[in-house]
Amino acid sequence: MAATTLYDKIWNAHVVSTEPDGTCLIYIDRHLVHEVTSAQAFEGLRNANRKVRRPELTLAVVDHNIPTTDRSKGIDDPESKLQVTTLRDNTSEFGVEYYNELDERQGIVHIIGPEQGFTLPGTTVVCGDSHTATHGAFGALAHGIGTSEVEHVLASQTLVQNKSKNMLVQVNGKLAAGVTAKDITLAIIGETGTAGGTGHVIEYSGDAIRSLSMEGRMTLCNMAIEGGARAGLVAPDETTFAYLKGRPKSPTGADWDAAVAYWKTLKSDEGAHFDKILTLDASKIQPVVTWGTSPEDVLPITASVPDPMSFENEQKQASAKRALEYMGLTPGTALTDIPIDKVFIGSCTNGRIEDLREVARIAGGKKVADGVHAMVVPGSGLVKKQAEQEGIADVLLEAGFEWREPGCSMCLGMNPDRLEPGERCASTSNRNFEGRQGHGGRTHLVSPAMAAAAAVTGRLTDVRTLG
Amino acid sequence: MKAMKELTGVAAALRMINIDTDMIIPKQYLKTIVRSGLGKGLFHALRYDDNGNDRDDFVLNQEAYKNSKILIGGDNFGCGSSREHAAWALDDFGIKCVIAPSFSDIFYNNAFKNGMLLIRLPEDQVEDLMRQAEYGSNAQFSIDLEAQTVTTPDGNTHSFDIDPHRKHCLLNGLDEIALTLDKGEAIDGFEARQQQAHAWLTPAT
């Protein structure tokens, strides 16, 4: 039999039917739903008098719109409130399990899926959210979909799909101190550009990837979409199994044993064909920061703001010039000389326990710099509880960080957490687009360690230079 | 879904690469629970100044382009968030076709599900189209989906590729969910086989 990739294997195991032109109907094992992209889908079902085919395969949670302050008093913004109550009503009407904003299990959709053991290796996972790529860390084929496709999955538990191409990103060697999964994923996008993965599913491999924790692998795969790939994958291994064992929705007993036996077969064969291959030396990756308004605008923290004229073509020069105007930066400025106003730690990229431990390790015993507002938003209620039990919350509060309730928060500012025009933020989130964190807001994407370092110095900082 | 066979109209050129879906429709418009009415928020930050007035320098605000049916953009159009609101906003404004060298995968899917046509053309051809789009409101472009061609005001014809399934659905305005539900037996069969092979897939409740 021909050698196949991990992506080929999962795809082949989910083909329901194939059209003469190669378009396939693919079965979906796990569907996650949140309030922003689902209302119109449920409405569509209702209008067509359709049911949810298998409600137990969909899990719903509220995350984008909710305030991260005390929620027992309800939501002030009437539109946000309507979207949240609409999800509550829709899940109740269609029989879908739902975690509301007061449920301890509530959190960002891509954090709670793995946390509950809902996300499993070898499954197909979709959600009306581009960062669904996160779940690929488990060796699940996971990608974002639009609302019409959410409706399609609810009604049929399938999607009409064309197969993507295979791309391999190998990161070999050992990471240097102070360099994290966030730096790897940004460094990859810096190499490929934001369209480098378009039409492809990326498999990440190499010993630097293998040595990452599940949290790190989730950070890595989360940003596959920022490189244009619909999905990122890491083959499951003992680290994956150890993370999943005993989770509320993980298989148990004989089912667990059967699952692990199957999961162990999920890897690319020797000699499998990849349409594109990128190889990076882990030891050469440095802590990085974005300077512009696209995730590909990334440089090591030791670099300076680039000159737009240094880019290869007119379009890129125009794009860089516009980005620097928006960001209020001058070419030649050392990145470490850029002062910041705010720090945001959280999001589906970096809102997990390991991220918060890292922030506490860097900022512990220090103080948030004068004039800087630093906010920590745990990715879920369970992450928050664990961080409080481990004493992380106390360390961060003592250092002057705000400690919030879980949600998407200032990653996209649909709730009250956002940047004001001109404010500059070191952020552990995933997008630095114009206006993403608030109209006129300026975002520098960094790792949790780098965000913590920026919080205590008041400027973009090389975490390796902090004592 | 609405059917589309041919389209004739003015095209607006937006000379930017990486036009992301946050730019097409920003967060404040995502709180809606309906699909309609998003045209007013299309390209909000590019289109309006801080007081909410039209920016004269934005192409869709200019008299010649207010009724554009076609938008021509740079590489990687529609990157970023999966929000289908981006397609709904373009459609509600009146844009039925976007032409660019490349599109993000999710946006590409979303647009077709809403009866819009996205056309990928090589960069030099897109550049030629942008140049002709700048002739103004008398410059009409014609698109023939059956023949898979774009004809420019100068009379040049460019052929484009589209996969047969998307073309078929768009030409006939087919409801994809109804088509899939017609394959209920195949889905039942798949589920039975999967349950047999991988009982662990049923989540604990």
Side-chain angles (χ1 to χ4, degrees), chain A residues 142-413:
Chain A
H143 59 81
I145 55 178
T147 298
S148 294
E149 291 185 312
V150 170
E151 184 179 339
H152 195 281
V153 173
L154 289 170
S156 70
Q157 208 57 46
T158 65
L159 273 181
V160 177
Q161 295 269 290
N162 293 300
K163 190 157 185 262
S164 302
K165 291 180 179 166
N166 282 287
M167 177 169 174
L168 180 67
V169 175
Q170 290 174 304
V171 188
N172 299 319
K174 199 167 177 300
L175 289 176
V179 182
T180 67
K182 183 65 165 286
D183 301 298
I184 301 178
T185 204
L186 282 169
I188 292 167
I189 297 162
E191 289 284 330
T192 63
T194 50
T198 302
H200 292 75
V201 166
I202 297 177
E203 180 176 346
Y204 300 97
S205 74
D207 41 351
I209 305 298
R210 224 15 79 205
S211 65
L212 291 174
S213 64
M214 286 317 297
E215 284 85 353
R217 295 178 193 182
M218 284 189 257
T219 300
L220 177 77
C221 290
N222 172 274
M223 292 192 70
I225 182 70
E226 307 321 328
R230 294 194 82 182
L233 285 169
V234 176
D237 59 12
E238 293 301 329
T239 305
T240 322
F241 312 148
Y243 177 97
L244 287 170
K245 195 167 171 71
R247 301 258 162 196
K249 292 182 185 293
S250 288
T252 55
D255 278 346
W256 171 262
D257 297 337
V260 171
Y262 175 63
W263 296 343
K264 285 182 176 171
T265 69
L266 296 173
K267 53 188 164 196
S268 291
D269 297 328
E270 197 78 33
H273 174 73
F274 286 91
D275 302 276
K276 247 186 198 182
I277 297 178
L278 173 72
T279 303
L280 293 184
D281 178 350
S283 67
K284 299 229 167 78
I285 299 175
Q286 297 189 56
V288 293
V289 56
T290 62
W291 52 267
T293 54
S294 165
E296 70 189 19
D297 299 338
V298 65
L299 281 171
I301 182 66
T302 49
S304 300
V305 175
D307 179 350
M309 297 316 288
S310 67
F311 288 87
E312 67 202 48
N313 61 42
E314 256 178 61
Q315 281 181 328
K316 292 205 165 160
Q317 289 167 7
S319 178
K321 189 161 171 282
R322 180 184 170 91
L324 290 189
E325 272 168 27
Y326 180 84
M327 293 296 289
L329 294 174
T330 313
T333 307
L335 293 172
T336 49
D337 283 342
I338 298 173
I340 50 139
D341 306 300
K342 285 192 170 165
V343 173
F344 171 64
I345 291 159
S347 85
C348 57
T349 314
N350 283 126
R352 285 168 282 266
I353 189 70
E354 183 179 282
D355 302 316
L356 306 188
R357 284 184 192 135
E358 186 74 350
V359 174
R361 188 178 69 78
I362 303 293
K366 301 187 175 70
K367 290 282 179 195
V368 171
D370 285 345
V372 172
H373 176 257
M375 188 164 82
V376 181
V377 183
S380 73
L382 293 172
V383 168
K384 178 168 186 264
K385 185 166 132 184
Q386 188 178 354
E388 286 168 353
Q389 284 167 350
E390 291 184 14
I392 290 169
D394 289 337
V395 168
L396 294 174
L397 282 164
E398 178 61 31
F401 289 83
E402 280 191 24
W403 182 247
R404 296 292 190 96
E405 297 296 322
C408 299
S409 182
M410 208 162 67
C411 175
L412 84 167

Side-chain angles (χ1 to χ4, degrees), chain A residues 19 21 27 29-30 40 53-54 77 80 83 146-148 152 199 230 322 412-414 431 435-436, chain B residues 22 27 30-32 34-35 46 50 76 80-82 84 105 110 165 180 183 188 191 194 200-201:
Chain A
E19 298 296 314
D21 73 349
Y27 198 77
D29 300 318
R30 297 288 186 266
Q40 293 88 345
R53 182 179 173 93
R54 289 188 66 187
D77 177 348
S80 289
Q83 215 166 43
T147 298
S148 294
H152 195 281
R230 294 194 82 182
R322 180 184 170 91
L412 84 167
M414 278 192 76
R431 290 194 175 126
R436 169 78 178 182
Chain B
D22 275 78
K27 59 183 125 298
L30 305 189
K31 297 187 183 189
T32 179
V34 296
R35 291 172 195 245
L46 297 172
D50 288 346
N76 201 24
S81 159
S82 65
E84 196 162 316
D105 293 335
N110 287 345
H165 178 77
T180 296
K183 295 176 183 153
D188 290 344
E191 284 177 339
Q194 195 191 46
W200 54 269
L201 270 168

